Amino acid sequence: MENNTNQEHAHVLIIGSGPAGYTAAIYAARANLKPVLYQGIQPGGQLTITTEVENYPGYPEGIQGPEMMVDFEKQAARMGADIRYGMATSVDFSSQPFKVVIDEEKTITADAIIIATGASAKWLGLPSEQRLNGSGVSACAVCDGFFFRGKEAAIVGAGDTAAEEALYLSKICSNVHMLVRRHEMRASKVMQDRVLKTSNIMVYWNSETLEVVGENKVEGVRILNTQTKEEKTIPVSAFFVAIGHQPNSGIFNGQLDMDEQGYIKTIPGTTKTSVEGVFACGDVQDKNYRQAVTAAGSGCMAALDAERYLSAKGH
């Protein structure tokens, strides 16, 4: 039997700390649910690797992503949320109260759980890509395209998201160089047609990215044509990676219903998962919008859903 110092009960446990987790904490704390929030491996989530955020309402001058997350955290703390550093490493939702192990050592039991573990962008894994991340390399054209108005940009990817982002960039940038690894795209026919009909999008088939060129900022991208073995460098000011996102849902495998990509399934219009009393919000259950403002909105929904669930249960 575990000794009690390693076990603790929380009324509401929130796992994750981006806009979804912190907003859930703000609402849950105001409803007097005394939420405990564990920040996870990347406190503040994906916004901490974003520089300027210009599309979040209420910040007319824009704000730095990390600074915005500090504001969210402070607000949740001021409302009374118990915010802790640590990572959920395993869960057991098979019986009530639910059990969550933190950092493989401490067990928290909870009457309701809010999952806000987010998603992580997939990267190509090039050293130059990591080095210039935030200096012209980005995984979000909708977030960062604006900074490259009138300039040349490259985007790597072949799915619907890549096609959508290429079209978005084509309205902002002078030219968009779309790098596709195979001889065809995975994107739906209608999206492909739109891309191919757009005069300032150049599609490079069978193209592999060798490196992002530039010392302190992106100046170009060196690519290899896998058919002809020809290498060339395209001068660009921005390099967007659109090869997909990975939801951070591994620890919930076998506990909750997910789709084939690992996104947690929620009942449409709610944050309810396949287990009563467990709620999911933000990018871990949203592969569609993935914006700070939609994540925050769903965090609010999760806290309200949890509050209603607990009051119906008489907790």
Side-chain angles (χ1 to χ4, degrees):
M1 195 56 203
E2 262 185 276
N3 61 18
N4 285 346
T5 53
N6 261 359
Q7 186 142 0
E8 183 188 343
H9 184 74
H11 198 31
V12 172
L13 176 65
I14 300 169
I15 308 171
S17 62
Y22 285 139
T23 304
I26 290 166
Y27 275 81
R30 283 176 55 96
N32 206 21
L33 299 177
K34 302 185 171 51
V36 171
L37 180 150
Y38 277 95
Q39 292 179 314
I41 199 163
Q42 189 181 26
Q46 291 184 90
L47 277 171
T48 56
I49 55 169
T50 307
T51 45
E52 193 84 23
V53 179
E54 294 201 318
N55 51 12
Y56 199 92
Y59 292 101
E61 303 303 316
I63 184 165
Q64 297 289 312
E67 200 185 321
M68 183 174 159
M69 285 301 93
V70 169
D71 285 350
F72 272 52
E73 182 185 351
K74 281 185 187 153
Q75 190 171 351
R78 188 172 77 84
M79 295 298 160
D82 180 349
I83 295 168
R84 303 175 182 182
Y85 191 68
M87 184 174 161
T89 46
S90 65
V91 301
D92 180 0
F93 296 158
S94 61
S95 61
Q96 295 241 5
F98 305 117
K99 289 186 189 64
V100 176
V101 178
I102 305 292
D103 297 330
E104 293 178 5
E105 53 183 31
K106 184 183 176 86
T107 301
I108 307 266
T109 57
D111 300 319
I113 304 259
I114 293 174
I115 297 167
T117 47
S120 305
K122 291 180 187 167
W123 296 97
L124 297 171
L126 305 169
S128 54
E129 167 192 61
Q130 291 311 105
R131 186 170 55 80
L132 292 165
N133 193 347
S135 304
V137 171
S138 160
C140 182
V142 176
C143 318
D144 300 326
F146 178 80
F147 304 111
F148 303 98
R149 188 171 287 281
K151 299 194 168 142
E152 304 263 333
I155 182 163
V156 59
D160 275 342
T161 303
E164 209 168 282
E165 298 209 330
L167 288 161
Y168 177 85
L169 291 170
S170 72
K171 298 185 182 77
I172 297 170
C173 301
S174 55
N175 285 305
V176 180
H177 305 272
M178 187 173 186
L179 311 173
V180 177
R181 220 177 41 213
R182 298 183 308 156
H183 62 284
E184 58 183 4
M185 286 189 212
R186 285 194 322 276
S188 58
K189 192 77 182 75
V190 59
M191 291 303 283
Q192 291 192 43
D193 289 346
R194 276 187 212 157
V195 165
L196 298 170
K197 279 195 188 111
T198 305
S199 60
N200 65 338
I201 300 179
M202 273 68 80
V203 179
Y204 299 73
W205 306 103
N206 304 307
S207 293
E208 195 181 314
T209 305
L210 299 176
E211 88 169 310
V212 186
V213 182
E215 202 42 57
N216 304 311
K217 61 181 195 335
V218 173
E219 286 164 16
V221 56
R222 194 158 62 82
I223 65 169
L224 168 73
N225 183 309
T226 51
Q227 299 292 293
T228 64
K229 300 294 179 237
E230 183 201 349
E231 275 187 34
K232 70 161 146 192
T233 300
I234 308 166
V236 293
S237 304
F239 180 75
F240 293 98
V241 180
I243 56 172
H245 283 75
Q246 191 65 48
N248 302 321
S249 61
I251 61 166
F252 310 113
N253 265 339
Q255 303 273 339
L256 298 173
D257 284 356
M258 300 181 193
D259 71 8
E260 54 291 344
Q261 289 158 287
Y263 287 91
I264 296 172
K265 287 185 179 175
T266 48
I267 296 168
T270 77
T271 60
K272 296 172 184 175
T273 68
S274 54
V275 173
E276 201 192 0
V278 177
F279 307 90
C281 54
D283 286 13
V284 76
Q285 54 84 55
D286 170 26
K287 59 182 168 193
N288 199 356
Y289 300 106
R290 295 203 306 259
Q291 298 298 305
V293 69
T294 50
S298 74
C300 157
M301 290 164 63
L304 296 177
D305 285 344
E307 183 191 359
R308 286 170 194 154
Y309 163 78
L310 291 166
S311 63
K313 278 265 182 283
H315 280 301

